Amino acid sequence: MKVTDCCELIRQSYSQIGSGEQGYIPAAIACAVRALNDVAASSDVPMAIREQAAFAAANLLISDHEDAQ
C-alpha cells in the first residue's frame, strides 16, 4: 500500500513526519500494534472496526518481521 492510497489523516501525518514537524518512530511495528490494540480494546469503537484492528494486530504479531532494536 502506498501513502497515496491512504486516507487524508494518514497522509497528513506522513507529511508531518517527513518534514520533521512530528517525530519519526523507528520501531514502527510496535507503534502500529499499540495503536491497533487501543482501537481493539476501546468500547467506544464499533465492534466491526475493533475486529479489523485485532486481526491486523494479530497478523503483525505473528509475522516474522521484527522491529530493529
Side-chain angles (χ1 to χ4, degrees):
M1 182 173 216
K2 296 180 181 182
V3 72
T4 55
D5 298 327
C6 296
C7 71
E8 179 61 24
L9 190 56
I10 291 174
R11 291 193 310 268
Q12 286 175 3
S13 291
Y14 183 90
S15 177
Q16 291 170 345
I17 293 167
S19 71
E21 186 178 331
Q22 288 287 328
Y24 168 74
I25 298 176
I29 292 175
C31 177
V33 170
R34 283 193 295 275
L36 291 166
N37 182 66
D38 289 348
V39 172
S42 176
S43 59
D44 295 333
V45 175
M47 183 55 78
I49 303 299
R50 293 173 65 193
E51 289 171 345
Q52 288 176 350
F55 183 76
N59 272 281
L60 285 172
L61 288 169
I62 206 164
S63 75
D64 59 357
H65 183 83
E66 294 183 14
D67 285 324
Q69 296 296 337

